[in-house]
Amino acid sequence: MNPVGVVVVTWQSEATIAACLRSIPDGVPVVVVDNDSRDATGDRVRTARPEAVWLPAGGNLGFGRACNLGAERMPGHDILFLNPDARLEPDALEILHAYVKANPRVGLLGPTVRDESGLPEWSWGDDPTVWREALRSRRVRQGEVPPVPAGRVEWVTGGCCLVRREAFEAVSGFDPGYFLYFEDLDLCRRIRTAGFEVHLVPEAIAVHARGHSSAQAADRVRRHYRDGQRRYYARHRRGPERWFVELYARLAR
């Protein structure tokens, strides 16, 4: 079985990156791919995890392309992709890696993701449709706390997910055509199409500080969300849904 490594993609992450890196077990290799941070992210990384590989992306490549760049630096490793505003609870990585070792059909899996108050987030789901997205959005606005499933799901968030190396290579990693948002749903879908399964492992826990980087560029984040949504629906949905999303994305700009 492959060893496991961690890839963290940063952008303006000085407020959260130290806690993220300190939550990763000692001895696990870490690559931090930096998407052109202009704050003290690099200093925080060097202090919190001196042995981590610091890899400037040479500009802001977006999330998926930066993840691929980090994965290239860990050939032969299964990869945990971890957002800089997330941190692992004790034994989370060990639980996830033991699970993938024991379940050879699983190509990608994620933990329960909780917010800082301890409530579960909507970090998994079924493949998106216009109806499913609208329903989920309403439930989130109403503050509904989701029941956490166990086992097979259709997608888990890219903010904390472990990917089997064989599955990652089978689909050539993240689609670099996404800049931010929907690249994780796309990856899960392609991994399933390649014959693997996507699972949620509720005993493993990650805590999400939520959106420290994205809050710094809210307008651009909304635009990236719509662009990612358009690309996903263009690739994976057909007919009226695809046309509706295309029209809505244009009007929402």
Side-chain angles (χ1 to χ4, degrees), residues 92-160:
L93 184 55
E94 291 87 343
I95 291 169
L96 291 174
H97 204 216
Y99 190 96
V100 83
K101 287 179 183 178
N103 295 275
R105 293 178 60 85
V106 174
L108 187 151
L109 66 162
T112 298
V113 178
R114 295 178 178 168
D115 65 21
E116 291 182 292
S117 71
L119 295 177
E121 295 188 348
W122 294 97
S123 62
W124 72 90
D126 297 323
D127 287 333
T129 66
V130 169
W131 169 248
R132 286 173 178 167
E133 286 199 78
L135 180 60
R136 179 184 289 265
S137 179
R138 186 183 71 178
R139 295 169 77 180
V140 169
R141 288 195 304 271
Q142 292 174 342
E144 182 177 336
V145 177
V148 181
R152 197 167 181 174
V153 292
E154 293 190 330
W155 65 265
V156 298
T157 178
C160 184

Side-chain angles (χ1 to χ4, degrees), residues 27 49 85 101 111 149 152 159-160 162 174 209 215 218 234 251:
R49 194 93 182 192
D85 59 359
K101 287 179 183 178
R152 197 167 181 174
C160 184
L162 179 66
F174 285 95
L251 294 175

Side-chain angles (χ1 to χ4, degrees), residues 12 61 75 231:
Q12 306 288 81
L61 303 183
R231 183 173 181 83

Side-chain angles (χ1 to χ4, degrees), residues 42-57:
D43 294 335
R44 302 288 189 271
V45 170
R46 285 183 282 273
T47 300
R49 194 93 182 192
E51 76 278 15
V53 175
W54 172 256
L55 185 60

Side-chain angles (χ1 to χ4, degrees), residues 58-75:
N60 193 339
L61 303 183
F63 180 73
R65 287 182 65 192
C67 284
N68 290 345
L69 194 62
E72 289 174 4
R73 296 295 295 266
M74 290 188 183

Side-chain angles (χ1 to χ4, degrees), residues 186-204:
D186 175 86
L187 178 67
C188 289
R189 187 163 186 151
R190 289 186 292 113
I191 282 177
R192 287 170 23 233
T193 300
F196 296 92
E197 296 175 3
V198 174
H199 282 216
L200 191 80
V201 184
E203 312 88 72

